[in-house]
């Protein structure tokens, strides 16, 4: 869809009903992708090309949303607005942004992609006897987005996104499985050897791990576990209600967490999978400090929720595709790592405790009850050394205890896809409990 | 019907150029869809319409499949997709057959949806209850046409509704064949039960008797029978056809998949590969008879019958899925099912899941009622059923005689969101594990 078509549609919708609509926005997205799917009995290659648009139009008395593929016909037909008012953002100055050069890289080819998946399967089979990669899905895509509205906002940018989903089993032990879901900016960044080792480690731990009945101690949480913790706590960081929720978890000194708890969100994170100059409504993105050394600073709020003067709006309207409505959410939300600290150094500090390397399933987080539970696996640690694998247990405790019990973080920041990209380094935590599932 | 003027013979001729080997499967999937959504009061923008159409050309050869999907139904995009699937240079010329597709009919309207929310609210008031709720109602319509080299089935059409209600104490969702008075009454009844159980405590974990209402049984059987008997799921553990003849449940338990017996708006005579659907006995007298299969798995195993292929959209390849699950009724009345029991009655489920690699299923239930000495008694809060597929059907000790037609819900296996339907009676399970 050309810029001219976007402008023409904007003008046509604005003119409907004799210029009835005070607010009109046209969003256009074009993308192409390659998906390579590998199962033991089947190989699939999917080439997709998509081009779609969405129009939001309205005034204080009513609004509508219309979307379709291809280019919109300015003549319509357009639906009738109903009684809900609509407001759109105006133009704001946007800091300069240089498009990363790797956006130009070609999409992964069919042969190259299947070779990567085959290499992963071969490496996994070599790592552990009986280990088999039963399903792998690699997708590599590129997209272009354009947003204009009649308040003068005009924004356009491109992006790259690749994802990899892996499922492995241990044929020698029915029921022992491992899966990973990862995202990168480009498919070629997935490294088969390292991923095979991660799957192999997971299968080994789940095959050999004993289940502690109930135990406490120092816990070293690896990035995948920390990421799921942060994801479960997103209501503390996103939306107009977040400050109230956070205030209920603050201690007597007004702190939400320990000194090592510094949480940021950055839509422009250099090298980030979702790095972009603007959000889904064309509002400029920036780095936002949400929690600073344990003190809650602000929530991630889109412009339309920032009614409270203390809430500073950020470009955080996420809009995955042209069919979707903008919705507040993180882009790259992460716990700040500490430069120079290796995860191994934190492990050496654990006199008696556990190293939790992965989650086994989705957790449950109840902010009202101040409680959480997250299925995990990992290793028992004695005198700074991993001594025996553990599996089939849940990490549990109060959310406040987790936030205040963070003792140290390492430098190994890693992002995983979830509600946006969520990142964390390894972290040493006390005050939580490990129980049998 | 948008595809009634399509020159399917010309399309088939163009596709036939890709079929180089006798076993090659080549087809094009043409799709038009519309979603009309009425958001809850206060959510801008108001009336929301999403309309799209597109195509996907597929070539399947041996264990390899190539699929090229395009937005829009145009000769040029069709020809491009042919070229991409054939993996030839752009210089190769493929014909561009005319693709006559009817234009969209005027602007979308949804008068029938506008009254649904107010109807539900009025029915609740008639029960002398009122509570804040935010209801989203959507209408989903889809028109499909598959053209193969040798097979051109009739066009297919689906039309149904979905409704999501956000409540202060949870969320309720349902698929509905229509948004008429009966549907409003059913939704109001479900919301009322949720309201009455809002402060109920979860039950203590136990293993024992659970009576599942038809809506909860539909979700459980979708996870534990339909997904478990899909050829691609079975293949994770070995040859899919090895499941045939295995006893999974007690004699008297008959479970079928019959897309042609689904509610009228979603009835299908052909699947998403254009293969005629059939009345498929998944379990006959508790024994696996015919797993769900698509053309790929039917070719891979001579014992499997195609006709159960589904695809969420043109960007996804077909895969075996259930459409409309049917459990044949037993002879027990509602009273017989709870007779002499202490346990739980769980009327509706919030969601279910199956781990295809381990066979472990979970059913999450937002609320239920205790059964005390054979009587349905006080409400209980949220709980879960957990177990393994291999053990579950052995716990079915009673089958109700009254069948209810219901949407089992949205199925999201493999990232493909699809509506699934069911007609089931209530079931009495014994020895099932209930967790909080």
């Amino acid at each position: 869809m050309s810029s001219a078509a976007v402008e023409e549609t904007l003008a046509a919708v604005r003119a409907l009903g004799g210029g009835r609509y005070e607010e009109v926005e046209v969003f256009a997205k074009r993308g192409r992708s390659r998906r390579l799917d590998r199962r033991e009995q089947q190989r699939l290659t999917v080439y997709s090309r998509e081009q779609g648009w969405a129009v939001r139009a309205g005034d204080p008395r009513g609004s509508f949303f219309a979307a379709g593929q291809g280019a919109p016909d300015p003549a319509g037909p357009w639906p009738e607005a109903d009684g809900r008012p609509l407001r759109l953002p105006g133009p704001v100055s946007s800091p300069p942004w240089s498009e990363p050069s790797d956006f130009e890289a070609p999409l992964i080819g069919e042969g190259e992609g299947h070779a990567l998946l085959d290499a992963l399967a071969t490496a996994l089979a070599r790592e552990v006897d009986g280990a088999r990669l039963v399903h792998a899905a690699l997708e590599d895509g590129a997209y272009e987005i354009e947003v204009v509205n009649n308040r003068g906002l005009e924004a356009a940018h491109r992006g790259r996104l690749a994802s990899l989903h892996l499922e492995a089993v241990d044929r020698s032990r029915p029921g022992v499985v491992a899966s990973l879901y990862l995202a990168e900016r480009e498919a070629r960044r997935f490294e088969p050897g390292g991923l095979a080792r991660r799957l192999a480690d997971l299968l080994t731990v789940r095959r050999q791990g004993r289940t502690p009945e109930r135990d406490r101690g120092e816990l070293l949480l690896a990035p995948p576990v920390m990421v799921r913790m942060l994801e479960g706590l997103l209501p503390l960081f996103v939306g107009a209600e977040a400050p109230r929720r956070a205030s209920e978890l603050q201690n007597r000194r007004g702190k939400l967490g320990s000194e090592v708890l510094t949480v940021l969100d950055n839509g422009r994170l250099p090298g980030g999978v979702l790095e972009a100059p603007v959000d889904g409504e064309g509002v400029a993105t920036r780095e936002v400090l949400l929690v600073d050394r344990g003190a809650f600073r602000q929530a991630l709020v889109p412009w339309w929720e920032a009614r409270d003067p203390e809430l500073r709006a950020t470009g955080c309207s996420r809009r995955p595709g042209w069919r979707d409505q903008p919705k507040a959410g993180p882009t790259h939300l992460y716990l700040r790592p500490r430069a120079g600290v290796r995860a191994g150094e934190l492990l050496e500090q654990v006199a008696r405790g556990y190293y939790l390397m992965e989650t086994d399933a989705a957790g449950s987080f109840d902010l009202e009850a101040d409680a959480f539970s997250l299925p995990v696996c990992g290793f028992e640690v004695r005198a700074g050394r991993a001594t025996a694998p553990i599996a089939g247990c849940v990490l549990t405790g109060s959310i406040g205890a987790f936030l205040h019990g963070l003792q140290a973080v390492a430098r190994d920041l890693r992002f995983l896809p979830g509600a946006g990209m969520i990142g964390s380094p390894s972290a040493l935590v006390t005050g939580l409990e490990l129980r049998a599932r | 019907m948008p595809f009634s003027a399509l020159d399917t013979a010309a399309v088939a001729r163009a596709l036939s150029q890709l079929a180089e080997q006798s076993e090659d499967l080549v087809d094009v999937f043409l799709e038009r869809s519309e979603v009309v959504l009425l958001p809850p009061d206060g959510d801008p923008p108001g009336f929301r319409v999403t309309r799209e159409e597109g195509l996907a050309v597929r070539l399947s050869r041996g264990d390899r499949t190539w699929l090229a999907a395009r937005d829009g139904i145009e000769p040029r995009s069709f020809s491009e997709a042919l070229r991409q699937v054939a993996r030839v240079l752009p210089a190769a010329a493929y014909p561009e057959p005319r693709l006559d597709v009817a234009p969209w009919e005027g602007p979308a309207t949804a008068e029938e949806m506008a009254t649904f929310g107010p109807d539900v609210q009025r029915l609740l008031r008639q029960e002398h209850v009122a509570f804040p709720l935010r209801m989203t109602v959507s209408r989903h319509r889809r028109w499909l046409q598959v053209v193969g080299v040798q097979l051109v089935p009739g066009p297919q059409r689906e039309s149904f509704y979905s409704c999501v209600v956000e409540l202060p104490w949870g969320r309720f969702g349902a698929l509905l064949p229509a948004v008429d008075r009966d549907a409003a009454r059913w939704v109001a009844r479900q919301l009322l039960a949720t309201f009455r159980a809002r402060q109920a405590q979860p039950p203590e974990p136990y293993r024992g008797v659970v009576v599942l209402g038809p809506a909860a049984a539909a979700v459980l059987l979708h996870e534990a029978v339909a997904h478990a008997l899909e050829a691609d799921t079975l293949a994770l553990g070995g040859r899919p056809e090895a499941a045939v003849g295995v006893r999974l449940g007690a004699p008297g338990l008959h479970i079928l998949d019959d897309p042609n017996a689904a509610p009228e708006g979603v009835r299908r005579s052909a699947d998403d590969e254009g293969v005629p659907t059939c009345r498929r006995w998944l379990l006959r007298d508790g024994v696996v008879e015919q797993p769900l299969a698509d053309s790929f798995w039917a070719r891979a195993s001579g014992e499997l019958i195609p006709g159960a292929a589904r695809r969420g959209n043109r960007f996804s390849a077909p895969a075996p899925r259930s459409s409309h699950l049917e459990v044949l009724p037993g002879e027990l009345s509602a009273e017989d099912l709870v007779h002499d029991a202490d346990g739980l009655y769980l009327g509706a489920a919030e969601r279910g899941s199956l781990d295809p690699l381990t066979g472990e299923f979970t059913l999450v239930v937002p609320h239920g009622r205790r059964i005390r000495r054979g009587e349905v008694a006080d409400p209980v809060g949220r709980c879960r059923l957990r177990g393994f597929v291999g053990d579950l059907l052995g716990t079915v000790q009673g089958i109700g005689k009254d069948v209810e037609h219901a949407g089992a819900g949205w199925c999201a296996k493999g990232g493909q969101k699809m509506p699934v339907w069911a007609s089931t009676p209530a079931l009495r399970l014994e020895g099932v594990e209930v967790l909080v």
Side-chain angles (χ1 to χ4, degrees):
Chain A
M1 186 174 172
S2 67
S3 292
V6 169
E7 294 290 347
E8 194 184 346
T9 305
L10 185 72
V13 176
R14 197 177 172 189
L16 285 178
R20 174 184 166 188
Y21 296 121
E22 296 166 13
E23 311 266 8
V24 183
E25 175 200 74
V26 182
F27 174 91
K29 184 170 183 179
R30 190 165 57 188
R32 60 198 181 91
S33 70
R34 290 191 187 144
R35 190 168 76 247
L36 307 156
D37 196 282
R38 180 190 191 278
R39 293 176 189 272
E40 288 184 292
Q41 302 86 347
Q42 196 177 16
R43 304 283 175 95
L44 171 68
T45 305
V46 180
Y47 309 94
S48 298
R49 269 193 211 163
E50 269 198 277
Q51 181 183 346
W53 56 270
V55 168
R56 292 193 295 163
D59 58 24
R61 296 174 301 280
S63 60
F64 73 79
F65 168 89
Q69 103 295 327
D73 181 354
W78 300 103
E80 283 294 314
D82 70 358
R84 289 140 172 118
L86 176 73
R87 288 192 307 139
L88 295 171
V92 287
S93 62
S94 177
W97 189 72
S98 304
E99 189 177 86
S101 58
D102 59 358
F103 283 7
E104 295 292 345
L107 298 185
I108 197 160
E110 182 191 349
E112 191 182 4
H114 277 300
L116 188 150
L117 301 181
D118 289 345
L120 216 156
T122 307
L124 177 65
R126 271 200 216 112
E127 289 279 343
V128 180
D129 279 346
R132 301 284 292 272
L133 185 68
V134 289
H135 183 210
L138 173 67
E139 184 153 16
D140 196 11
Y143 58 88
E144 296 165 36
I145 286 173
E146 188 174 357
V147 193
V148 298
N149 73 26
N150 66 327
R151 289 172 166 271
L153 183 148
E154 287 184 24
H157 70 94
R158 299 194 299 170
R160 287 293 302 265
L161 180 62
S163 66
L164 179 62
H165 176 71
L166 303 170
E167 290 178 64
V169 299
D170 183 343
R171 288 272 189 245
S172 64
R173 280 284 295 273
V176 173
V177 302
S179 62
L180 294 175
Y181 181 57
L182 309 153
E184 288 286 356
R185 207 143 77 184
E186 204 207 324
R188 293 177 187 87
R189 295 191 187 179
F190 294 117
E191 202 273 297
L195 292 171
R197 278 191 295 280
R198 272 182 73 184
L199 285 171
D201 287 348
L202 269 173
L203 290 173
T204 306
V205 164
R206 287 174 183 159
R207 179 167 62 180
Q208 300 175 354
R210 68 170 185 88
T211 305
E213 265 310 302
R214 192 168 184 169
D215 203 1
R216 302 179 79 91
E218 295 163 290
L219 303 171
L220 180 61
L221 309 189
V225 180
M226 281 298 294
V227 163
R228 295 304 159 222
M229 290 297 299
L230 284 179
E231 191 174 40
L233 303 182
L234 282 181
L236 291 176
F237 308 124
V238 181
E241 283 292 296
R244 180 189 62 76
R245 294 192 189 106
S247 69
E248 289 170 4
L249 292 171
Q250 286 173 356
N251 65 11
R252 279 173 291 180
R253 291 187 294 133
K255 289 285 187 92
L256 175 66
S258 75
E259 283 289 315
V260 300
L261 184 72
T262 294
V263 181
L264 303 102
D265 184 76
N266 188 355
R268 295 176 175 226
L269 186 77
V273 168
L274 302 173
E275 181 183 356
V278 294
D279 70 358
E281 290 185 294
V283 177
T285 51
R286 62 187 175 90
E287 183 181 89
V288 187
L289 182 61
L290 305 173
V291 181
D292 183 15
R293 286 174 294 166
F296 184 84
R297 291 289 179 229
Q298 80 154 90
L300 204 55
V301 280
W303 67 273
W304 35 269
E305 268 193 334
R307 295 190 192 105
D308 182 340
E310 288 185 15
L311 288 177
R312 194 173 156 211
T314 56
C316 64
S317 291
R318 298 204 58 237
R319 201 169 185 171
W322 53 269
R323 300 173 186 85
D324 305 301
Q325 294 295 317
K327 194 177 171 192
T331 312
H332 305 100
L333 184 141
Y334 63 101
L335 179 65
R336 179 173 275 165
R338 181 146 181 228
V341 178
R342 288 183 297 108
E345 289 173 43
L346 298 186
L347 185 68
E348 286 162 11
Q349 293 174 27
V350 177
R352 186 190 168 283
Y354 297 92
Y355 169 57
L356 304 179
M357 59 185 279
E358 282 283 357
T359 56
D360 283 346
S364 66
F365 293 81
D366 188 339
L367 289 166
E368 300 297 324
D370 187 16
F372 78 92
S373 158
L374 185 66
V376 290
C377 64
F379 292 90
E380 189 176 45
V381 180
R382 293 289 179 269
R385 286 183 179 280
T387 53
I390 56 159
C393 43
V394 289
L395 176 65
T396 183
S398 88
I399 291 165
F402 165 72
L403 295 170
H404 292 280
L406 282 166
Q407 304 296 318
V409 291
R411 64 184 183 188
D412 56 341
L413 175 64
R414 196 192 305 169
F415 282 88
L416 291 171
M421 294 297 289
I422 313 288
S424 177
S426 298
L428 192 61
V429 190
T430 56
L432 302 178
E433 193 172 86
L434 215 53
R435 287 185 190 167
R437 232 176 129 180
Chain B
M1 189 60 88
F3 305 118
S4 50
L6 193 72
D7 183 353
T8 53
V11 174
R13 274 197 301 277
L15 290 169
S16 66
Q17 295 180 81
L18 294 188
E20 292 171 1
Q21 299 169 17
S22 60
E23 291 293 305
D24 283 356
L25 174 68
V26 185
D27 60 18
V28 60
F29 173 83
L30 303 160
E31 160 185 62
R32 170 178 281 186
S33 66
E34 178 193 77
V35 178
V36 175
L37 182 148
L38 280 183
D41 281 342
D43 264 18
F47 192 56
R48 300 175 192 174
V49 181
T50 305
R51 286 175 159 180
E52 60 183 294
E53 59 188 26
L55 57 84
V57 174
R58 174 178 66 150
L59 165 63
S60 200
R61 178 177 294 155
D63 66 349
R64 306 294 297 262
T65 298
W66 296 268
L67 184 85
R70 290 289 185 280
D71 278 345
I73 300 177
E74 291 154 4
R76 189 172 170 195
S77 59
F78 173 70
S79 169
E80 274 178 11
L82 278 180
R83 210 156 43 213
Q84 202 158 27
V85 160
R87 289 155 295 118
V88 294
L89 292 170
Y94 278 101
E96 296 184 3
R98 284 183 60 185
L99 293 173
D100 293 320
V101 179
W104 288 96
E105 298 164 2
T109 56
E111 287 84 8
E112 80 280 21
M113 291 159 62
T115 56
F116 187 70
D119 278 351
V120 171
Q121 299 257 21
R122 188 176 44 74
L123 288 161
L124 287 170
R125 281 197 302 275
Q126 283 176 5
E127 297 291 331
H128 307 291
V129 295
F131 45 82
L133 61 86
R134 287 165 49 80
M135 181 182 289
T136 303
V137 188
S138 303
R139 184 183 68 208
H140 308 260
R141 294 200 292 178
R142 193 157 85 131
W143 297 265
L144 307 172
Q145 173 72 62
V146 178
V147 180
V149 173
Q150 294 164 335
L151 186 70
V152 182
Q156 303 291 308
R157 181 176 183 275
E158 290 176 357
S159 176
F160 64 96
Y161 298 82
S162 65
C163 129
V164 175
V165 186
E166 294 163 56
L167 300 161
W169 44 87
R171 200 163 177 269
F172 165 81
L175 294 184
L176 306 164
V179 283
D180 53 14
R181 295 293 300 273
D182 286 345
R185 264 194 290 274
W186 185 81
V187 170
R189 230 177 20 244
Q190 303 303 316
L191 296 180
L192 193 61
T194 308
F195 170 74
R196 288 183 172 148
R198 69 195 183 283
Q199 289 174 329
Q201 293 300 308
E204 288 297 310
Y206 77 101
R207 188 181 286 275
V209 175
V210 169
V211 176
L212 295 178
V219 178
L220 182 71
L221 295 176
H222 173 77
E223 298 298 337
V225 176
H227 277 320
L229 293 182
E230 289 159 356
D232 54 347
T233 304
L234 291 168
L236 294 172
R239 292 182 308 113
E241 62 272 25
V244 176
V246 172
R247 173 167 293 284
L248 279 185
L253 183 63
H254 306 288
I255 303 181
L256 301 95
D257 183 69
D258 188 356
N260 227 339
E264 195 178 339
V266 290
R267 207 164 278 168
R268 297 285 301 268
S269 58
D271 71 357
D272 288 347
E273 291 182 310
V275 176
T277 56
C278 62
R279 193 164 165 78
R280 185 184 301 261
W281 289 78
L282 299 175
L283 292 187
R284 194 194 290 265
D285 263 329
V287 175
V288 176
E289 186 164 304
Q290 195 50 249
L292 293 155
D294 59 7
S295 296
F296 175 85
W297 290 105
R299 273 190 311 174
S301 162
E303 288 181 48
L304 302 181
I305 301 170
R310 296 188 71 190
R311 53 205 298 177
N313 53 47
R314 58 192 172 279
F315 304 107
S316 308
R321 297 285 181 274
S322 158
S323 296
H324 172 247
L325 204 64
E326 200 178 325
V327 181
L328 298 192
E331 294 174 345
L332 300 181
S333 66
E335 293 75 27
D336 295 336
L337 285 167
V338 296
H339 178 71
D340 216 18
D342 284 299
L344 291 177
Y345 174 82
L346 305 175
E350 189 174 279
R351 63 180 189 275
S353 63
L354 171 75
D355 184 331
L357 297 175
T358 62
E360 185 177 354
F361 71 88
T362 306
L363 185 76
V364 179
V365 181
H367 55 81
R369 305 278 295 271
R370 281 186 207 286
I371 303 171
R372 293 186 198 279
R373 280 171 288 182
E375 297 286 336
V376 177
D378 48 315
V380 293
R382 177 177 295 271
C383 60
R384 289 179 296 144
L385 299 194
R386 194 176 73 180
F388 288 90
V389 168
D391 306 329
L392 170 78
L393 295 178
T395 70
V396 177
Q397 298 297 315
I399 303 171
K401 63 181 182 183
D402 300 317
V403 170
E404 277 187 25
H405 301 279
W410 290 107
C411 169
K413 183 182 170 186
Q416 293 203 52
K417 187 178 172 185
M418 286 184 264
V420 288
W421 305 87
S423 304
T424 61
L427 299 177
R428 174 169 166 146
L429 314 181
E430 294 187 10
V432 71
E433 186 184 11
V434 177
L435 302 166
V436 178

